[in-house]
Amino acid sequence: MRYATKLKFSLIVAITGLGIGVFISRWAYYPMVIGYSVLLLIIYFALKERALVASTIFSTGLAAVHSWVYLSTPSMIGNDADKVAVAVERIATSGSLDSIAQIFFYNVASGFHILAAQTGLITGFDGRNALVIYPILFGFLPVFGAVSIARRLGDDGIVAGALAGVAGPLLAYSVQPVPQLLTALLVIPITGLLFLWTETWSRRSFVALVIPLVLMLFAHKTSMLVVTGIAVTTFGLVDNRRAAIRLVILVSCGLVFQWLYLTSFLRSAVLVVIAPAIKGATLETGGVVLRSTRPVLPGLVGGILKNADWIGLSVAGAAGWALLAKRNLKQRCNQKGILLAVGFVCGAFVFVSIFGPGIAVVRTSVVAAVPLCLLAGHLVEESPKSVAVAVLSLLVVAQVGVPPASPDHPSQNRQFLSSEELIAKQTISEVTTEVYTDEQYARELSSIETDRTYRTGRAEFASQRGWHVIGLPLYNGTVTSVEERIVVRDITLYKKVGTRKILYDPQKRLASDRSRTYSSGSVHLYVVNE
């Protein structure tokens, strides 16, 4: 088949597939996310003869599905995204970072928020819709970045681009924007510019590299720590030690500036992360506390299935790293050394976050996703064809099929509120105050104009004003011990140390000693009988 014919056919299939996916998403998003991602991958590999054309169609399709999922859910996805939207809205309307002075760290290092606020000012979008810039960027930058970097390494780049496009961590977080996303985006051009710099060691390429490094200062708490680790590791893997030491000095000064002068994060890092890690942190879950629930995906197998995306990328990336390191020992290459450094540091952050307190592995895997895709892609391209097909197939299934990749996957609690739940929350807020409910319902805002505290940590400090978290009584069957107004939803899956299914009907328990004064069909308000 001629390439022009294949291109026309692929465009028709892609547009038709998107239309069908949008239609299906009125009932469920996960078939759309899984089905359309696989469809785009098929089109991508069918058009791989021309990488630019294939990558453009692939990225455009991904950006479209990410944006649709993000904009079409009744509420924002995840517990933190609406807090970010409030901050973006306040920056855009006030024109000042003073309006988010309550947000620790990000009231100074607010690059993530400022980019969205600028998008809102240009487009006229509110805080939530302005954040659509991130689903769009995550449709394009990982694919094009992975392809271009892999090609400079000598690979074909198609496999790396395919994996970067459907990487589970990126699918999950592209539609629930959090500040780590800016670090994940900036790692891509930094890696590419490091490749360019080590090819020429010119001052011009070094100055170009400084620009994203400066942006990293205002990205996230760990952003400069990541690039400092990369710079230090690079020092031992390139042949120009004098130039490499300049880079180490530059980023080390940036880290000190960010953690000591720009913010006061060093003290918090020691108290929250480093000290507990040295003493040994414990996680108190216990069957007694959660005796009226059971995990949806229990045990070791369940843990692997829930985290198959970053586990698969980490294993394949580690194998690709070992293969690349072996070849770099035989024939030293600065570009290989750069990818080895980036992959090692980003992979190490994922490994540390598995055991470190106060560090979410799902968020460090977002930053590591593209470097791991590059290493996994190198492994696949260097493997025999039958092995390559098997490894690539397993990786793709692990990425698109993992529960967090879709906001309403049946194996996890729904990550957003339904329209009915939003309307009910607004109605209840208008007729009463101080109610208790499950954590997600308390934290999700009924609208971004709603008042909410910015303090992080315990769940009750992140709830909509007037809404409180029931807490453990909901999960151990003693919900009637809460002598307050209680709101319950018609759901059985809750997020508590993973996704857990509740084993009793809270409404039957509550009906024994209180009256149901409001019901919208799926949301019910119970008040203690007087």
Side-chain angles (χ1 to χ4, degrees):
M1 185 185 294
R2 293 173 54 192
Y3 192 83
T5 304
K6 286 199 296 185
L7 177 59
K8 293 176 183 177
F9 181 74
S10 297
L11 287 173
I12 292 172
V13 171
I15 295 172
T16 304
L18 180 61
I20 294 173
V22 168
F23 180 76
I24 291 174
S25 69
R26 294 192 297 176
W27 293 279
Y29 287 97
Y30 70 91
M32 177 191 186
V33 173
I34 296 172
Y36 198 58
S37 297
V38 172
L39 177 63
L40 287 172
L41 278 173
I42 294 171
I43 293 172
Y44 182 55
F45 281 104
L47 300 175
K48 68 177 182 178
E49 301 162 43
R50 300 182 185 178
L52 179 60
V53 174
S55 298
T56 300
I57 295 175
F58 186 44
S59 298
T60 303
L62 289 171
V65 71
H66 292 172
S67 300
W68 172 257
V69 172
Y70 175 75
L71 293 173
S72 64
T73 51
S75 76
M76 297 192 71
I77 300 168
N79 285 330
D80 290 334
D82 53 357
K83 179 173 67 176
V84 174
V86 172
V88 170
E89 177 83 358
R90 291 186 177 186
I91 293 172
T93 54
S94 69
S96 170
L97 294 178
D98 293 338
S99 60
I100 59 168
Q102 305 99 317
I103 306 181
F104 171 69
F105 187 87
Y106 298 117
N107 61 336
V108 179
S110 49
F112 177 85
H113 300 80
I114 290 173
L115 176 58
Q118 290 294 333
T119 302
L121 290 173
I122 293 171
T123 59
F125 290 162
D126 63 11
R128 175 187 176 173
N129 292 337
L131 284 162
V132 77
I133 186 65
Y134 290 104
I136 293 173
L137 287 175
F138 270 94
F140 287 95
L141 193 54
V143 175
F144 280 101
V147 171
S148 60
I149 292 171
R151 288 190 163 230
R152 283 191 172 274
L153 190 66
D155 292 342
D156 181 70
I158 293 295
V159 175
L163 291 174
V166 298
L170 303 187
L171 287 177
Y173 278 96
S174 65
V175 295
Q176 46 178 312
V178 290
Q180 286 91 338
L181 295 188
L182 186 56
T183 302
L185 287 172
L186 289 172
V187 163
I188 301 171
I190 285 174
T191 304
L193 289 169
L194 281 171
F195 268 52
L196 181 63
W197 178 53
T198 54
E199 286 177 1
T200 61
W201 299 112
S202 66
R203 289 185 178 179
R204 180 178 297 178
S205 58
F206 186 76
V207 171
L209 177 62
V210 169
I211 297 173
L213 289 176
V214 171
L215 293 176
M216 275 287 202
L217 289 171
F218 305 94
H220 185 255
K221 306 178 186 73
T222 59
S223 57
M224 288 307 299
L225 189 60
V226 171
V227 293
T228 301
I230 292 172
V232 172
T233 310
T234 297
F235 178 76
L237 295 171
V238 296
D239 55 20
N240 190 336
R241 298 294 178 84
R242 179 176 294 181
I245 196 65
R246 289 204 304 268
L247 178 64
V248 172
I249 294 172
L250 174 67
V251 298
S252 297
C253 291
L255 176 64
V256 172
F257 176 75
Q258 186 196 51
W259 279 25
L260 290 180
Y261 179 76
L262 188 64
T263 71
S264 57
F265 183 65
L266 180 61
R267 181 176 179 274
S268 297
V270 171
L271 294 177
V272 177
V273 179
I274 299 175
I278 294 173
K279 294 179 181 178
T282 59
L283 180 64
E284 296 181 4
T285 58
V288 175
V289 173
L290 306 177
R291 62 177 176 267
S292 294
T293 68
R294 64 172 174 81
V296 175
L297 294 172
L300 178 61
V301 174
I304 293 173
L305 291 175
K306 285 184 292 187
N307 302 287
D309 52 347
W310 63 263
I311 291 176
L313 282 180
S314 297
V315 172
W321 190 92
L323 177 63
L324 193 65
K326 180 180 178 181
R327 295 188 173 179
N328 195 46
L329 288 174
K330 295 179 179 179
Q331 186 177 3
R332 200 171 183 83
C333 170
N334 287 334
Q335 285 70 46
K336 291 178 182 177
I338 292 298
L339 184 54
L340 288 171
V342 174
F344 175 80
V345 172
C346 292
F349 267 82
V350 174
F351 181 79
V352 169
S353 65
I354 297 173
F355 305 101
I359 308 173
V361 65
V362 291
R363 297 195 177 183
T364 56
S365 63
V366 172
V367 178
V370 172
L372 290 176
C373 287
L374 285 165
L375 291 166
H378 180 72
L379 173 69
V380 171
E381 291 196 20
E382 295 297 323
S383 300
K385 187 173 182 179
S386 57
V387 176
V389 171
V391 171
L392 180 59
S393 299
L394 286 172
L395 284 174
V396 168
V397 170
Q399 303 313 304
V400 301
V402 74
S406 306
D408 60 351
H409 195 283
S411 295
Q412 71 172 0
N413 61 299
R414 177 163 34 88
Q415 299 292 298
F416 57 90
L417 302 184
S418 67
S419 298
E420 190 175 55
E421 289 168 344
L422 276 178
I423 294 171
K425 190 167 187 180
Q426 290 175 325
T427 303
I428 293 171
S429 296
E430 291 171 359
V431 299
T432 189
T433 59
E434 308 306 318
V435 297
Y436 284 71
T437 187
D438 63 271
E439 182 176 331
Q440 182 189 15
Y441 203 36
R443 295 184 68 174
E444 288 273 9
L445 299 184
S446 54
S447 68
I448 64 171
E449 293 81 13
T450 306
D451 194 13
R452 174 179 174 174
T453 178
Y454 289 100
R455 290 183 63 183
T456 57
R458 292 180 293 171
E460 61 265 34
F461 290 134
S463 301
Q464 180 173 321
R465 192 73 65 187
W467 290 73
H468 308 279
V469 178
I470 294 175
L472 295 179
L474 178 63
Y475 308 112
N476 62 22
T478 59
V479 65
T480 54
S481 65
V482 180
E483 297 292 332
E484 303 288 347
R485 301 180 183 91
I486 292 180
V487 174
V488 292
R489 298 184 286 158
D490 291 339
I491 60 173
T492 58
L493 299 183
Y494 294 87
K495 182 179 180 182
K496 187 66 176 178
V497 194
T499 298
R500 306 184 73 89
K501 183 174 183 178
I502 199 163
L503 302 178
Y504 72 101
D505 185 354
Q507 292 192 57
K508 289 183 178 179
R509 303 262 177 108
L510 292 171
S512 63
D513 67 342
R514 58 193 78 194
S515 302
R516 186 167 67 181
T517 59
Y518 172 85
S519 178
S520 70
S522 63
V523 180
H524 315 280
L525 171 63
Y526 286 87
V527 178
V528 177
N529 294 324
E530 296 181 359

